[in-house]
Amino acid sequence: MNAPQDSLSIGAWIALALGAPALGFLVLSSRRAAGKLGAIVVKEDPRSAPQVLRWLVVVAALVALLATWPEQGDDAWLWAATLALAAGLLLLSPGPHRQRLGERGVQRGWDARGFDELEEWRVSGDHLRFKVDGEWTAASAPAALHAELREKLRRLRPDHESRFI
């Protein structure tokens, strides 16, 4: 093996060493969010151009790996593991505009909160608007869900309903 090939292999091992704990964190974070949300009632996960571009890069790298598999020798499996890890990270990472409304909580981007954790809340329009860390944000909540959602929030956080936003 030559020096550039060795450097690439070392880079792949470093990517695996750093990416594996990151993937573990994402799995734990996803489980934690799922526990706070309960069953999902409404979800929106719009994809952005950068997210699509990242997936295209991973797919292109996979095609290149498959096309050059014999030439990769023993490192082919190392690169396959690195690409699988990258795909797992992309799959589990929530986009910044991800919205989830669950039976027990709400998620916007990375942040998931149980209804009992919301600083303030307001059901209006087609949204549940809520304050997290002093900042207002919103998640989709169709009008058909408003009565049940409002009743649940009033039961859990009666003094935290905001009359104005």
Side-chain angles (χ1 to χ4, degrees):
M1 218 182 252
N2 57 29
Q5 187 86 11
D6 288 341
S7 296
L8 285 174
S9 295
I10 291 169
W13 281 109
I14 290 171
L16 287 172
L18 294 175
L23 186 61
F25 168 79
L26 282 174
V27 167
L28 292 175
S29 178
S30 295
R31 284 181 143 176
R32 182 185 151 274
K36 288 182 177 281
L37 298 176
I40 302 298
V41 179
V42 178
K43 67 180 180 174
E44 289 184 12
D45 201 0
R47 295 289 177 196
S48 66
Q51 287 173 308
V52 172
L53 182 60
R54 287 181 203 114
W55 275 108
L56 289 175
V57 167
V58 169
V59 169
L62 179 60
V63 168
L65 175 63
L66 293 175
T68 62
W69 190 273
E71 293 85 21
Q72 297 296 324
D74 294 338
D75 286 343
W77 291 105
L78 176 64
W79 291 111
T82 304
L83 287 174
L85 181 65
L89 290 169
L90 284 174
L91 186 65
L92 291 177
S93 296
H97 303 293
R98 171 186 276 182
Q99 299 177 36
R100 300 279 190 269
L101 177 64
E103 290 178 340
R104 296 189 314 254
V106 67
Q107 180 180 14
R108 179 72 189 222
W110 286 88
D111 195 26
R113 302 286 172 117
F115 290 140
D116 60 340
E117 297 175 295
L118 300 180
E119 295 170 26
E120 290 184 60
W121 60 270
R122 177 87 178 140
V123 179
S124 64
D126 284 333
H127 294 91
L128 165 61
R129 299 178 193 285
F130 55 97
K131 192 185 256 189
V132 174
D133 296 329
E135 188 172 320
W136 283 98
T137 190
S140 292
L145 303 174
H146 283 198
E148 179 185 349
L149 185 57
R150 190 173 282 115
E151 184 274 323
K152 192 178 295 185
L153 285 161
R154 282 182 178 154
R155 187 173 22 88
L156 291 169
R157 299 293 276 182
D159 299 335
H160 296 273
E161 182 175 9
S162 174
R163 297 288 174 205
F164 307 100
I165 294 184

